[in-house]
Amino acid sequence: MNRFVQPVPQPADPYADDALLRSWLERHLGPAGHAAAKGRLADLAADVTGPLRAAHADAEAHPPTLVRYDPWGARIDRIETSAGWQAQRAAAARHAVVALPYLPDARGTWGAAARVVQHALLHLYGPESATFSCPVAMADGAAALLSLPDVDASVRDAWLPRLISTDPATAITSGQWMTESQGGSDLGRSSTIGRPAADGSWRLTGQKWFCSAADAAMAVALARPEGAGRGSRVLAPFLVPRYAADSPLADGAAADAPAPGVTVHRLKDKLGTRALPTAEIGLHDAYAVPLGDPGVPGLVRAMTLVVVTRVHNAAAAAGGMRRGLAYARAYADVRHVAGGPLASSPLHRATLGTLAVDAAGAFALAGHAFALLGRVEVGADPEAAAELRIVAPLAKLATGRLAVSSASEYVESFGGAGYVEDTGVPRLLRDAQVLPIWEGTTNVLALDVLRALTREDAGAPLLSRLAAAVDLARPLSPALADTLATTAAQLGDTITAVTGDPTADAVTAGARGLALRLAYALTAALLVEHAAWGDEQAELAARLWARRWLRHEEIAEDAHHHLDLLC
């Protein structure tokens, strides 16, 4: 008797087959702008479905290793990565995944919407990049920080062109050395000290506990300038060269040797993101240059980087949800159960359709954050800046949680095969779990949202967007408009109560619930905006999203009947 082997087809082209992505680009870029981006997006999609998918598998199969000593006993702390990881690095540069919003020709073509095009690139690239999307995010954040006018021009000129290079031979990425074991997200407990040197550079001493992309050529580290006092506001961002080639203190060491004063204690053995080298790093009089004036409290400057990495986190969540859905749908089309294809089961169709609604919402929320970021950077738009202040944490926290719940469903949709490592399916869940953690857990971000509401009146732009969405929804669906109106009124009352007594236990204890409600309401408004532009899929997703997340109703029947439109 022949042994049955289940064929597993690859999902379709991630650009050509994603109707919501293409219509989103048509709306935000205009027909001419979308046409200008199509070649770039199609080229990346072809790489993703071919060599990058293979590179992804290779990097996952061959995680990084730390070689502490050379054969003669010299400490070298060399992190060795796979050919697949290096292929992902080269592709990120070649396709301008980091560089695009900084390139003059891209800004000339798309203006502030260059960030919209970048989001589309990330949506295609990230899900099967072996989490090279993480160093991409940190390189982008470092580039944004280096672009600030108060950064010394010589430092900017030395490092920014390398971060935004599209030549794989010269392009670099950045790490991010912020958290320390005693504090974690409580940056006020950071104990790394920066001391000025006679030549204008600084020396950093301390221990950094969670350093992702530890193989990157540079890192942005937070340190407390000597004598600056306690708390987090006085912390300042510094650029630390990772290798001897970029450190004036190296004194003839091999170019790929670690910079003097930088020690890699160990690589982290993580639940997921296994291809990504994450390390514990010690600093002892390590050479560093300040990014801005260290005498001026620098945490606000560092938040430039954090906002960028938070919206990247949202893009990674939304992109992963969409790719997981594509794999689950492709599998359902060929898997036969109970005498027919799994894709014909009303129950399974309802499950996939519900996941498609969540994926559409996550995409809209991440896409909106990138659009706001572009308006802030290119047009210095104060309204966009005010809205981004709250949208960045909302997008990150909501999409991160959605990504984990969706990934769990994707694993389950493959049955036992989804639990077997060499199918690659379990990675969807393992890698998703980092998304609610990195750059602030859900609770940390919820408190950030609370601060934005109470100190900066950040609720005003969200309530304004909701009010506009009510009017847009009325011709589409009176029930949807009523739901949005009711939600907006409830949120308005809650925000008023919160700002009246922001330190009350009931307020802080309820911060997570409030943040999620704000994120779900904003997502509904964004889907309505896209539906009102003329997108039928967005209209259906808006109605089902509002029922699912604002009215807490079961949407299984409609999700089953409309699966083909939803995905």
Side-chain angles (χ1 to χ4, degrees):
M1 182 176 182
N2 291 333
R3 179 169 173 263
F4 174 76
V5 176
Q6 175 64 56
V8 182
Q10 296 294 344
D13 182 291
Y15 170 60
D17 196 53
D18 193 334
L20 183 60
L21 169 62
R22 288 184 285 105
S23 72
W24 185 270
L25 293 171
E26 196 77 7
R27 171 181 157 221
H28 284 270
L29 305 178
H34 187 192
K38 282 181 179 178
R40 184 182 292 275
L41 295 167
D43 287 347
L44 177 55
D47 258 9
V48 165
T49 56
L52 291 185
R53 191 162 282 163
H56 165 82
D58 178 74
E60 288 288 330
H62 303 94
T65 57
L66 172 62
V67 180
R68 289 193 174 88
Y69 300 96
D70 74 6
W72 300 99
R75 187 74 183 253
I76 57 174
D77 285 356
R78 184 175 66 244
I79 296 173
E80 296 184 345
T81 56
S82 68
W85 185 253
Q86 295 304 322
Q88 293 288 353
R89 179 192 303 277
R94 191 170 61 252
H95 291 285
V97 180
V98 174
L100 188 85
Y102 301 92
L103 299 178
D105 61 339
R107 288 194 173 185
T109 301
W110 297 294
R115 281 286 185 185
V116 174
V117 181
Q118 183 197 32
H119 173 234
L121 292 170
L122 291 166
H123 194 69
L124 301 177
Y125 173 78
E128 291 171 286
S129 66
T131 59
F132 200 84
S133 53
C134 176
V136 160
M138 292 187 292
D140 192 357
L145 183 53
L146 279 161
S147 299
L148 294 179
D150 52 352
V151 171
D152 184 87
S154 64
V155 177
R156 181 186 305 114
D157 292 345
W159 291 93
L160 181 59
R162 299 168 68 188
L163 286 168
I164 62 173
S165 173
T166 58
D167 179 358
T170 59
I172 64 169
T173 55
S174 177
Q176 193 168 307
W177 301 351
M178 295 192 180
T179 59
E180 300 176 13
S181 58
Q182 73 277 11
S185 62
D186 182 6
L187 297 177
R189 299 180 67 189
S190 296
S191 59
T192 298
I193 298 297
R195 298 179 177 87
D199 62 357
S201 65
W202 286 60
R203 305 292 180 268
L204 304 190
T205 298
Q207 301 294 323
K208 296 298 184 179
W209 187 77
F210 210 91
C211 305
S212 287
D215 60 334
M218 58 164 279
V220 175
L222 281 181
R224 191 179 306 280
E226 191 173 39
R230 305 176 68 178
S232 62
R233 291 182 65 255
V234 299
L235 298 176
F238 292 85
L239 188 155
V240 183
R242 170 71 175 82
Y243 297 107
D246 295 308
S247 174
L249 308 182
D251 194 24
D256 60 348
V262 177
T263 301
V264 182
H265 294 311
R266 63 168 177 160
L267 293 181
K268 299 286 193 180
D269 185 9
K270 298 166 292 178
L271 169 67
T273 66
R274 293 177 178 175
L276 170 68
T278 303
E280 293 179 24
I281 289 179
L283 303 172
H284 182 73
D285 287 336
Y287 175 88
V289 291
L291 297 174
D293 183 355
V296 177
L299 190 61
V300 172
R301 287 195 304 281
M303 286 303 295
T304 297
L305 180 154
V306 171
V307 167
V308 171
T309 51
R310 282 178 176 176
V311 301
H312 271 262
N313 198 95
M321 290 168 69
R322 172 63 193 174
R323 194 67 54 81
L325 178 65
Y327 272 99
R329 179 70 194 271
Y331 182 72
D333 286 340
V334 299
R335 180 65 176 170
H336 280 251
V337 295
L342 182 57
S344 67
S345 161
L347 178 57
H348 197 67
R349 288 177 62 84
T351 302
L352 293 179
T354 302
L355 290 166
V357 170
D358 288 355
F363 172 81
L365 192 51
H368 180 57
F370 272 86
L372 290 174
L373 179 61
R375 288 167 52 194
V376 172
E377 291 176 333
V378 174
D381 185 332
E383 292 183 0
E387 189 173 357
L388 183 63
R389 170 64 185 90
I390 193 168
V391 167
L394 287 179
K396 193 276 184 189
L397 72 86
T399 59
R401 296 189 64 78
L402 285 170
V404 174
S405 61
S406 294
S408 180
E409 290 282 6
Y410 297 143
V411 169
E412 188 175 344
S413 72
F414 284 85
Y419 201 66
V420 177
E421 279 290 349
D422 57 6
T423 65
V425 179
R427 178 198 59 79
L428 297 174
L429 182 56
R430 288 191 286 100
D431 287 355
Q433 189 60 66
V434 77
L435 296 167
I437 296 173
W438 184 58
E439 290 297 16
T441 63
T442 306
N443 283 358
V444 168
L445 289 166
L447 292 174
D448 188 28
V449 169
L450 191 60
R451 285 189 292 271
L453 291 172
T454 57
R455 299 177 186 176
E456 303 171 44
D457 193 26
L462 294 192
L463 293 176
S464 176
R465 188 171 293 278
L466 276 174
V470 171
D471 293 335
L472 291 173
R474 191 72 63 188
L476 303 174
S477 166
L480 173 58
D482 290 344
T483 298
L484 286 173
T486 300
T487 301
Q490 292 171 343
L491 286 173
D493 291 343
T494 302
I495 290 170
T496 298
V498 162
T499 54
D501 191 3
T503 61
D505 286 351
V507 170
T508 54
R512 176 195 285 233
L514 174 58
L516 287 169
R517 292 202 309 276
L518 287 168
Y520 297 154
L522 171 61
T523 301
L526 296 171
L527 289 170
V528 165
E529 289 173 8
H530 197 52
W533 173 80
D535 188 278
E536 185 181 4
Q537 181 183 356
E539 180 180 344
L540 176 60
R543 288 194 285 107
L544 296 182
W545 176 277
R547 287 175 53 196
R548 174 165 164 75
W549 292 110
L550 301 184
R551 290 162 54 181
H552 306 290
E553 295 178 355
E554 180 58 68
I555 63 169
E557 184 177 0
D558 281 338
H560 151 52
H561 285 303
H562 299 292
L563 174 63
D564 294 334
L565 176 58
L566 288 167
C567 63

